[in-house]
């Protein structure tokens, strides 16, 4: 079994010093550009499959990457969405499904979940049905994108846009090859090609919050400063 304590020690010994400037910047800055909503499945790691650095993604992970429609009363998912959009001003939201999803498999194959009543109740919120797991993964992503628009913070952010767009992706978890990421449903667009304005892609919708929520973030690392002329 992997030793978590050794992993922490390795991070402190090797990873942290190599990215010391980045972590010093993040100590006082929290400006993720994307809210990434993915499945809790341990094989689908958002930062790993997107090649993102610390501080770039604000991540919510739920069983089956479900996003319940908004309802009054506090819950962790709604609060996280609201904070990401209203406080952090993310400019993109991604809902990412994946192949071999246990939640979608349970729905497609009508698994007996009597021993897991909480899980059964949670999956009823998916709002999708079918017998093909792969198809259900894509349908589920689209359904959760629709649910997102019911959240007041998201609706307010989208209101100024003349033609809001949505973005959903599914990633595969093959046994012997690198994961691949495709829009949902599949098409020929480049993986994770997310625009910052309303654009309709073939076969599916994608959206982002307007770029007016917060001022542009300065690039990191900052460009090297020009040396000051030496007075003689």
């Amino acid at each position: 079994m992997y030793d978590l304590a050794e992993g922490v020690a390795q991070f402190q010994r090797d990873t942290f010093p190599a990215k010391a400037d980045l972590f010093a910047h993040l100590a006082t800055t929290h400006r993720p550009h994307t809210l990434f909503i993915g499945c809790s499945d341990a094989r689908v790691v958002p930062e790993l499959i997107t090649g993102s650095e610390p501080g770039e993604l604000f991540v919510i992970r739920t069983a089956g990457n479900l996003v319940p429609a908004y309802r009054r009363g506090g819950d962790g998912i709604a609060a996280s969405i609201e904070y990401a959009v209203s406080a952090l001003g993310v400019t993109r939201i991604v809902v990412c499904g994946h192949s071999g999803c246990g939640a979608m498999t349970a729905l497609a194959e009508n698994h007996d979940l009597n021993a897991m009543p909480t899980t059964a109740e949670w999956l009823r919120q998916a709002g999708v049905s079918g017998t093909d797991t792969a198809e259900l993964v894509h349908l589920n992503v689209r359904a959760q994108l629709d649910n997102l628009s019911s959240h007041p913070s998201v609706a307010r952010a989208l209101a100024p846009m003349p033609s809001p767009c949505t973005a959903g992706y599914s990633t595969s978890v093959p046994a012997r090859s690198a994961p691949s990421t495709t829009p949902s449903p599949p098409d020929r667009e480049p993986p994770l090609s997310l625009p910052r304005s309303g654009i309709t892609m073939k076969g599916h919708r994608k959206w982002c919050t307007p770029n007016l929520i917060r001022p542009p973030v300065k690039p990191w690392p900052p460009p090297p400063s020009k040396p000051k002329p030496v007075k003689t």
Side-chain angles (χ1 to χ4, degrees), residues 1 10-11 16 26 44 48 52 67 105 130 167 179 204 211 219 221 226:
M1 180 178 177
Q10 183 179 358
F11 171 81
F16 186 87
L26 293 176
V44 185
L48 185 63
S52 299
V67 183
T105 301
H204 76 292
N211 206 21
K226 296 180 180 180

Side-chain angles (χ1 to χ4, degrees), residues 43-219:
R43 301 167 295 176
V44 185
V45 183
E47 292 83 0
L48 185 63
I49 64 175
T50 62
S52 299
E53 291 282 3
E56 293 184 333
L57 302 181
F58 190 85
V59 178
I60 300 173
R61 299 179 70 172
T62 70
N65 47 273
L66 301 191
V67 183
Y70 178 79
R71 59 177 179 267
R72 294 183 64 86
D75 74 77
I77 298 172
S80 296
I81 292 170
E82 182 179 71
Y83 183 75
V85 175
S86 299
L88 299 178
V90 295
T91 57
R92 293 175 289 189
I93 301 179
V94 174
V95 174
C96 182
H98 69 96
S99 65
C101 179
M104 295 302 104
T105 301
L107 290 176
E109 299 180 358
N110 196 26
H111 287 184
D112 182 2
L113 297 177
N114 287 330
M116 296 185 289
T118 304
T119 302
E121 179 63 29
W122 172 254
L123 293 182
R124 277 192 277 272
Q125 300 186 67
V128 294
S129 60
T131 57
D132 183 276
T133 300
E135 180 183 7
L136 210 55
V137 167
H138 295 299
L139 293 175
N140 180 54
V141 167
R142 293 171 67 94
Q144 307 320 309
L145 290 170
D146 289 338
N147 285 346
L148 267 169
S149 63
S150 70
H151 288 251
S153 57
V154 176
R156 284 193 300 269
L158 289 173
M161 297 185 66
S163 56
C165 55
T166 54
Y169 289 85
S170 63
T171 185
S172 62
V173 189
R176 297 183 180 179
S177 60
S180 62
T181 309
T182 58
S184 177
D187 59 26
R188 299 291 183 180
E189 294 291 336
L192 293 177
S193 175
L194 300 177
R196 295 202 175 200
S197 59
I199 294 179
T200 301
M201 289 177 61
K202 294 180 294 182
H204 76 292
R205 298 174 302 147
K206 57 188 202 171
W207 67 268
C208 56
T209 55
N211 206 21
L212 302 177
I213 297 178
R214 58 182 169 90
V217 179
K218 295 181 179 180

